[in-house]
Amino acid sequence: MSAPLNKKVFIKTYGCQMNVYDSEKMADLLAPDGYGVTEDPQEADLVILNTCHIREKAAEKVYSELGRLRRLKERREAKREGMMIAVAGCVAQAEGEEIAERAPVVDLVVGPQTYHRLPELLKRVEKTGGAVVETEFPAEDKFNRLDKPAAAAPPARGVAAFLTIQEGCDKFCTFCVVPYTRGAEFSRPVERIEAEARALAQSGVREITLLGQNVNAYHGEGPNGEPVSLSGLLTHLSAIEGLERLRYTTSHPRDMDDELIEAHGSNPKIMPYLHLPVQSGSDRILAAMNRRHTRDDYFKIIERIRRARADIALSSDFIVGFPGESDQDFEDTMALVRDVTFAQAFSFKYSARPGTPAAELDGQVPEEVKSQRLARLQDVLKAQQLAFNRDCAGRTMDILLEKPGRHEGQLAGRSPYLQPVHVPAGTAQIGEIVHAKVESVGANSLSAHIVGIQ
Ligand code: SAH
Ligand code: SF4
Ligand code: F3S
């Protein structure tokens, strides 16, 4: 039996989906100690900032939030109410002690590989009264701890869920902090993932997105001790009753193997959407980024995947203004975008990250050049997204109805291509996959009406 919910935790999540997953796990871990989740920091006994270090702006947000929390904590203390503040995630890992020094309001700094020890670390804070910093990469397996019943049987949070299957990265792209904040690549065993997926399906989840910083490099231990690839894992998970849709993110072009590509053609539970970051269309820049593939390799992968699954929607990440990027290099990126055409994309100005090799390179690109390039790139990407959405008008597609929509009598769902879709329907239909005809499209979402049920 769990303790009564007499304390409240507010968790603010920054960064990628893996942080979203970690935040949910933290909430699950704290539940047996009597913590219930609140959306209001004002009433929280514990505030956790689950942070991201990927770009400078992401990291700086943490300190401005800590400034606001300091004032809140002072008001609470004036009323003789306690409030603990923890910084978790990738800034915690990268900056450790520095955070507690720069922001003395922080009681606990806990890295992404140690948050499974949150309950005992909080007790240590209560006992010592000083700041506790825990950012080791311990030998014990975090996931082993997370698989204990309380955390492994999470409360239902909706009909679409994330599931981390692989963590860390050995690729060392020269611009990226992830290998330093998340450590070496690690794949969870198939049986553990299956158990978690089954528990999610039993609690009403219809769609799972498998997560990893390098998800298609997955090579977890299979039931008979043999390593299993991502395509193998997808086959295992496809057998789970009630689970209708599978997605995975983020993939690296180097790890798009033939079997995985074939799986997109043969396994109907794998959704026809692939996020495959390319970062740049210039061979010179790709080499300097240590991406270890060429633009032509990328075109070939796209060709193969479209042959396996003609209607696949593609998405990508781009960085503009990597050190040494010339006008011509940037034009190569623009040309790649025009050649491939993306349904969605994320694009960023290069941000020099302390400790990464690219931060030391000559030829850092001026801020205004980065801004101009980003604006031009985003114009094309936005136009492509709108064109993709427009192509959907009049089509009938399967929509997973996920949650109440913005308006009464409307639900928000997702198409197979991950587009948000507004559908007139009642809340009793949440969790259904319906056939719906798209009647209008916008830049970021579609509207459809139900014509049948799957
Ligand atoms: N593992 C994924 C990416 C993870 S980070 C991959 O290999 O593609 C998510 C995205 O953030 C990256 O794809 C990249 O586009 C962007 N990014 C990472 N480091 C960055 C930096 N230093 N400056 C700007 N963008 C960055
Ligand atoms: Fe970062 Fe590259 Fe690893 Fe992606 S593959 S997480 S960009 S180092
Ligand atoms: Fe950010 Fe860490 Fe994810 S740096 S993008 S939260 S892995």
Side-chain angles (χ1 to χ4, degrees):
M1 244 187 62
S2 56
L5 298 182
N6 48 13
K7 288 181 275 183
K8 294 214 156 42
V9 56
F10 170 78
I11 308 180
K12 186 160 182 174
T13 309
Y14 303 83
C16 63
Q17 288 118 328
M18 198 167 286
N19 264 10
V20 175
Y21 176 88
D22 290 345
S23 290
E24 291 187 346
K25 288 288 174 196
M26 286 191 244
D28 296 341
L29 282 164
L30 291 167
D33 286 349
Y35 279 99
V37 172
T38 172
E39 302 296 319
D40 179 9
Q42 310 270 352
E43 61 167 25
D45 303 287
L46 168 65
V47 171
I48 302 176
L49 303 182
N50 195 9
T51 62
C52 173
H53 200 244
I54 203 86
R55 285 168 290 276
E56 194 179 342
K57 268 200 189 132
E60 278 308 315
K61 277 186 194 154
V62 181
Y63 289 101
S64 34
E65 188 61 38
L66 285 173
R68 278 192 288 275
L69 286 172
R70 183 172 54 85
R71 291 187 289 278
L72 181 58
K73 189 172 177 168
E74 281 165 2
R75 282 203 299 276
R76 293 284 297 265
E77 279 169 355
K79 289 195 269 174
R80 296 182 182 282
E81 291 169 353
M83 180 178 176
M84 277 194 278
I85 297 179
V87 177
C90 292
V91 176
Q93 190 61 45
E95 298 189 359
E97 303 272 353
E98 264 176 74
I99 299 177
E101 279 161 29
R102 197 169 145 185
V105 69
V106 172
D107 300 294
L108 174 66
V109 178
V110 57
Q113 307 308 330
T114 33
Y115 72 74
H116 55 290
R117 297 173 48 200
L118 205 50
E120 75 189 66
L121 293 171
L122 289 171
K123 286 189 189 104
R124 237 165 76 194
V125 171
E126 277 169 358
K127 223 189 265 161
T128 61
V132 171
V133 178
E134 190 62 76
T135 54
E136 293 302 300
F137 284 97
E140 76 185 284
D141 171 9
K142 170 180 76 179
F143 288 109
N144 271 341
R145 191 73 95 82
L146 293 181
D147 282 330
K148 291 218 172 120
R157 287 200 178 85
V159 297
F162 294 131
L163 201 174
T164 294
I165 64 163
Q166 181 272 349
E167 192 168 355
C169 181
D170 296 338
K171 293 262 187 320
F172 289 93
C173 300
T174 54
F175 52 80
C176 183
V177 293
V178 170
Y180 312 97
T181 61
R182 292 278 173 166
E185 208 178 278
F186 169 79
S187 296
R188 295 176 69 190
V190 172
E191 281 174 340
R192 301 268 181 74
I193 297 167
E194 257 186 307
E196 192 167 334
R198 207 168 279 124
L200 287 168
Q202 273 161 10
S203 73
V205 167
R206 313 292 309 275
E207 172 178 309
I208 291 183
T209 302
L210 305 176
L211 300 180
Q213 269 94 15
N214 239 290
V215 76
N216 57 342
Y218 176 83
H219 56 275
E221 191 185 304
N224 49 18
E226 299 283 301
V228 171
S229 65
L230 180 59
S231 53
L233 178 68
L234 286 163
T235 307
H236 278 279
L237 298 180
S238 300
I240 295 176
E241 213 181 310
L243 195 55
E244 297 301 331
R245 292 176 155 199
L246 293 169
R247 305 180 186 275
Y248 59 92
T249 198
T250 296
S251 299
H252 192 289
R254 292 258 311 180
D255 298 312
M256 277 318 292
D257 63 36
D258 289 340
E259 280 167 32
L260 184 57
I261 293 178
E262 286 315 311
H264 275 275
S266 59
N267 185 340
K269 288 196 176 176
I270 304 178
M271 289 295 99
Y273 180 90
L274 177 66
H275 182 62
L276 194 62
V278 64
Q279 317 296 356
S280 168
S282 153
D283 280 341
R284 224 171 55 82
I285 297 298
L286 284 170
M289 287 176 163
N290 192 33
R291 293 291 290 181
R292 294 186 291 158
H293 67 79
T294 62
R295 69 184 268 128
D296 204 45
D297 294 334
Y298 191 79
F299 287 134
K300 289 208 175 96
I301 295 165
I302 299 298
E303 211 181 284
R304 277 159 57 214
I305 188 116
R306 280 186 168 144
R307 228 181 289 137
R309 178 84 201 223
D311 70 334
I312 196 134
L314 295 165
S315 140
S316 199
D317 291 345
F318 297 89
I319 296 177
V320 300
F322 183 84
E325 185 186 74
S326 66
D327 287 339
Q328 185 54 50
D329 292 320
F330 174 66
E331 294 307 329
D332 289 348
T333 299
M334 294 291 280
L336 180 141
V337 170
R338 281 190 291 263
D339 281 355
V340 176
T341 65
F342 294 94
Q344 218 208 335
F346 303 92
S347 44
F348 313 98
K349 287 192 247 183
Y350 169 72
S351 168
R353 306 308 290 128
T356 60
E360 310 297 319
L361 291 176
D362 291 337
Q364 299 289 330
V365 175
E367 204 51 34
E368 75 249 31
V369 176
K370 286 186 199 169
S371 300
Q372 283 160 8
R373 288 180 186 167
L374 187 67
R376 273 188 63 203
L377 177 62
Q378 289 188 338
D379 276 352
V380 181
L381 291 169
K382 259 190 232 146
Q384 291 190 348
Q385 183 172 333
L386 184 58
F388 180 81
N389 287 354
R390 285 206 173 121
D391 276 350
C392 294
R395 284 177 56 187
T396 297
M397 42 175 109
D398 290 344
I399 311 297
L400 170 60
L401 301 174
E402 289 186 11
K403 55 187 177 205
R406 243 175 289 151
H407 306 291
E408 188 70 30
Q410 198 188 57
L411 295 183
R414 292 268 178 184
S415 76
Y417 313 109
L418 209 60
Q419 296 145 302
V421 188
H422 310 293
V423 182
T427 47
Q429 284 190 278
I430 289 175
E432 284 180 15
I433 296 174
V434 296
H435 298 304
K437 188 166 181 200
V438 179
E439 36 206 25
S440 64
V441 307
N444 299 309
S445 63
L446 313 177
S447 296
H449 69 271
I450 298 175
V451 293
I453 290 171
Q454 198 183 37

